[in-house]
Amino acid sequence: MRQIHFNAFDMNCVGHIQHGLWAHPRDQSHRFNEIAYWMDYAKRLETGLFDGIFLADVVGVNDVLGGSPDAAIRGAVQVPVNDPMMLVPAMAAVTTHLGFGVTANLTYEPPFLFARRMSTLDHLTGGRIGWNIVTGYLDSAAKAIGLDAQAAHDDRYDLADEYMEVVYRLWEESWADGAVLLDRANHLYADPARVRKISHAGKQYRLDAMHLSSPSPQRTPVLYQAGSSTRGRQFAATHAECVFVNGQKIEGVKAIVDDIRAKAVNYGRQADDIKIFMGATIVTGKTEAEAREKFEDYRRYVSSEAALVHAAASLGIDFSRYDLDEPIETGRSNAIVSNVEAVTRSAGPQWTKRKLLEQMVLGSRQAPMIGSAEQIADQLANWSQEAGIDGFNLSRTVVPECFDDIISLVVPILQERGLYKTQYADGPLRQKLFGAPRLPDRHIAAGFRQKAG
């Protein structure tokens, strides 16, 4: 029986996905600048046996709507936003098992320095770090580092393939197993013969250096990826261990899940080398009536403007140019292509701003699951069984009560049904998820490892 995994889905900011709910009087996300807030957050999640906290990130501002950042600034639409990596050591210090999936945009991160940063976090957390691999979608981010605009969508994935080769070689090849000796008697910390420079001269990157960090518990962090476009699925099937998909109709999600796993098998991997996490927003209570009352309370604080700001940026469409019922042109976009495809599937080819706003009942395009704890458990189990979903990235609504409700009400029901763990497994994050701390030999990264002998 497949057990369901949970990640909390959040961002180091005030307004993440459910736009406007930060204004709810019980919401605490305005405290995102306080380290105590995140430490308490992590302890709550570990109490609920969450597998991890998945930290999204952007390195630009959502300025597509009206060609201005003003609406994003007014509504705290992922701005201000702080570095997610800085949170990890503090949260790790007060937990033992909770994993940390951190988003980092490889387009703007030199691979040599990034590889060291992730190895450091893997060491400090005892092997609990994961990397959500993204290539970006905001022109504002490209302009922030001196470019005129971001590269084309598929070109970014070509760059990402080369980037992955460089970091795999740093993590997996530079230091051999057993290179660290810690021989005090002979004043020999590590064997130089088992540490090698990595030489790479490619289209995008040049490198001639050894990895500065010794091998961490996982070496390569657990690899997350969130692209469901045709090119994104190819990348996921090659590299990813955990793939994040957005919920639509069950048959649509199942088709994506089956396609990614089939592609992975074609690349010499196994279907269960990939776990699929679906984005979900849950509003629950002891009864359906209680959940519905909570939902109606929440939706009073939703900001339609803020929701459009985020949608405009992620879809690459300036909705300010359209009237409510004017058909929206969805040509080739350099933003999140899979998002455009998903909206077209759900709203039809002739969708409008009105249709989009009707979907965003809690400030995002993600339709919430609303119901009693029993009803929510039924829905999660059905998604798992019918669509092949392994787990859920649970988007926050009003924190911390949204996660407290899941932990106190939904988790016990799933546990009674044998669908949710009753204790953590031992070992690093990858071992908890897949049964071993290192990438399997059939993963593309394994081909770079130093051979024994």
Side-chain angles (χ1 to χ4, degrees), residues 139-152:
D139 281 338
S140 62
K143 292 174 182 176
I145 66 158
L147 303 176
D148 292 331
Q150 64 183 324

Side-chain angles (χ1 to χ4, degrees), residues 392-407:
F392 298 87
N393 278 356
L394 301 176
S395 177
R396 65 166 157 96
T397 52
V398 174
V399 285
E401 68 184 49
C402 61
F403 294 118
D404 290 343
D405 287 344
I406 291 166
I407 291 165

